Amino acid sequence: MLTLEEKQNLAKVRFEHSMQCLKTSQILVDADDYKCAANRSYYALFHSMRAVLAFDGYDVKKHSAVISKFRLLYIKTGVFDSKLSNYITEMFEMRNDSDYDDFYLLSKEDVENQINNAKEFLNAIKLYLLNKGVILSE
C-alpha cells in the first residue's frame, strides 16, 4: 500500500508524462506528422487518467482497463464532465486507426481539434490533482 506522499508523487510523474505527450503532439502537428500527433495526444489522456487512478490507489496498465475504471469511478459519478468520456472514445479510435490502418488519413484540422480536446481534458485532471494536494510543475 502506498503512502499519501507516494501516491502524490506517482500521480505527479504520470501527469507530467501526459503533459509531455501533449507538448509532443503539438510539435508533431506543426511538422505535418498527423498520425504521430494523434498518437501522442491520445497518450496524453491515457497517462493523465493513470495519474488520477494512481492517486486514488488503482494501478492498471491495459488501455481498456484504464478507460473502464476511469469512466466508472469518475465520469459516471460526476467527478468529471461526461463529455470527457466522448473525448476518450474519439481519441482512442483515432489513435488506433492512425496506428494500425495503413491508409487512414487525418487532416490537420482533425488533429488540432483532438489536441484542443486533450488540453481541456488535462486541465480538468490538473484541477482534480491540485485539489487533492498534488504539487505539479508549471
Side-chain angles (χ1 to χ4, degrees), residues 55-70:
F55 178 81
D56 290 329
Y58 302 98
D59 192 23
V60 289
K61 294 178 184 162
K62 279 185 67 175
H63 293 255
S64 59
V66 168
I67 292 168
S68 176
K69 194 69 144 172
F70 185 84

Side-chain angles (χ1 to χ4, degrees), residues 21-67:
C21 289
L22 183 61
K23 181 179 175 182
T24 301
S25 70
Q26 187 62 59
I27 292 167
L28 290 165
V29 81
D30 291 343
D32 298 328
D33 188 347
Y34 305 139
K35 284 187 172 189
C36 288
N39 175 288
R40 292 293 85 198
S41 59
Y42 164 74
Y43 274 98
L45 264 64
F46 178 74
H47 293 299
S48 71
M49 288 186 286
R50 288 191 72 221
V52 170
L53 290 167
F55 178 81
D56 290 329
Y58 302 98
D59 192 23
V60 289
K61 294 178 184 162
K62 279 185 67 175
H63 293 255
S64 59
V66 168
I67 292 168

Side-chain angles (χ1 to χ4, degrees), residues 60-105:
V60 289
K61 294 178 184 162
K62 279 185 67 175
H63 293 255
S64 59
V66 168
I67 292 168
S68 176
K69 194 69 144 172
F70 185 84
R71 284 180 168 148
L72 178 69
L73 296 175
Y74 305 102
I75 298 210
K76 289 187 180 204
T77 60
V79 173
F80 292 108
D81 192 297
S82 62
K83 72 179 171 181
L84 298 185
S85 183
N86 296 333
Y87 293 168
I88 296 166
T89 300
E90 291 167 11
M91 290 188 201
F92 181 77
E93 289 173 358
M94 190 180 288
R95 195 272 308 185
N96 273 343
D97 290 342
S98 65
D99 281 357
Y100 301 112
D101 182 345
D102 295 328
F103 299 103
Y104 185 71
L105 296 175

